[in-house]
Amino acid sequence: RFIEIFNPSDQLLFVHFVLHNISLHGDKIQVLNEAIHNCNNCVLSRDENPFSFNISKDKEIYMDEVKPRSSLKVGINFFANTPGTYSTLLYLRNNLTIIEAVWLTARAVVPQFKFGNRKPGSITALQFEINEKRCTKPSKRTFTAKNAGEVPLTIYGIRIENDLCVGYGFKVLNCEPFQLQPNESRKIEIGFSPDFTLSRVERTLNFDTSIGSSVNFTLIGTVASPALEICSQNVLRPVWEPDFKSKVTIVLCIALFL
């Protein structure tokens, strides 16, 4: 985030920007209350120091100048390993008002994404089933993708294993990228159309998201035993298959004879 500093005077303003660090400056604020922009709920964070200047994470003090009647933007980075609310003071030592201090407050949260009311990596699979009455129709199910966290979430792509949208008999019917605001949900329809060579197909459904970590779920498609033979006979074969099969048989016979 960028904080704008304005110089209303007719002289050059020199400013030292200092981020309060308890390990260096202690846990007590030694600045007059009049110099601090009020924040009733702000308390110096003790566990870690998640704030830094965007020019360098190692710099505790940053110096710059502001021309008369102009402004300057100072960038502040925030990065925390642990969820929670963090606060610190940004000191502005200058040649105009001597000292100013501004509270900086930030909150770190954990993104939460659910699909089919399951968390990523859940051992409970998303099930699909085919019986002899559904040989020519895919098994379709609708699942809800929900952003259960407190920050916006973007889905860049949905993959079956490494294949985008379609693979191994599974197909994501509405596979376009989308964004979910906090507590927002979206319906996703998935179809399963097996080739009836296996009675059970298990694959991983992967979401490419802005979370950064792995977001995957297990897909399982099953074909009932009585349906496996019946449905395999009803599968439409390519028109060229009989002719090709005959030619291959002839070639194999000649090769065996030779």
Side-chain angles (χ1 to χ4, degrees), residues 85-219:
T85 301
Y86 300 84
S87 298
T88 194
L89 275 170
L90 171 64
Y91 300 110
L92 298 87
R93 297 186 298 188
N94 63 89
N95 61 328
L96 186 63
T97 62
I98 310 302
I99 185 73
E100 299 283 345
V102 179
W103 278 106
L104 303 179
T105 301
R107 198 155 64 96
V109 298
V110 178
Q112 295 184 35
F113 176 71
K114 290 185 177 181
F115 187 72
N117 204 29
R118 297 162 175 81
K119 292 182 178 180
S122 172
I123 60 174
T124 305
L126 306 171
Q127 300 275 356
F128 297 81
E129 186 174 349
I130 297 287
N131 55 43
E132 63 272 17
K133 297 180 181 180
R134 297 181 60 88
C135 289
T136 58
K137 295 181 180 180
S139 175
K140 293 182 181 180
R141 290 194 61 188
T142 301
F143 302 96
T144 300
K146 183 176 181 179
N147 180 4
E150 301 178 62
V151 292
L153 176 66
T154 302
I155 306 297
Y156 300 109
I158 307 176
R159 293 177 290 112
I160 312 295
E161 296 289 340
N162 293 320
D163 299 330
L164 191 64
C165 301
V166 182
Y168 306 95
F170 295 99
K171 181 177 182 180
V172 182
L173 301 180
N174 43 341
C175 199
E176 65 277 0
F178 60 93
Q179 187 179 62
L180 293 175
Q181 296 299 321
N183 207 35
E184 186 181 5
S185 60
R186 179 187 176 98
K187 300 293 184 181
I188 302 292
E189 190 174 22
I190 300 178
F192 175 57
S193 301
D195 59 3
F196 301 106
T197 57
L198 297 172
S199 61
R200 176 186 169 94
V201 179
E202 182 174 344
R203 289 294 182 264
T204 301
L205 177 69
N206 297 298
F207 286 83
D208 299 326
T209 73
S210 56
I211 291 179
S213 58
S214 176
V215 178
N216 56 69
F217 304 86
T218 301
L219 297 172

Side-chain angles (χ1 to χ4, degrees), residues 227-241:
L228 194 60
E229 183 177 354
I230 297 174
C231 293
S232 61
Q233 296 174 356
N234 294 331
V235 175
L236 294 176
R237 309 304 302 177
V239 294
W240 48 264
E241 186 178 85

Side-chain angles (χ1 to χ4, degrees), residues 67-80:
K67 295 180 179 180
R69 302 190 181 279
S70 61
S71 59
L72 170 73
K73 288 186 177 181
V74 179
I76 304 292
N77 294 334
F78 170 75
F79 178 83

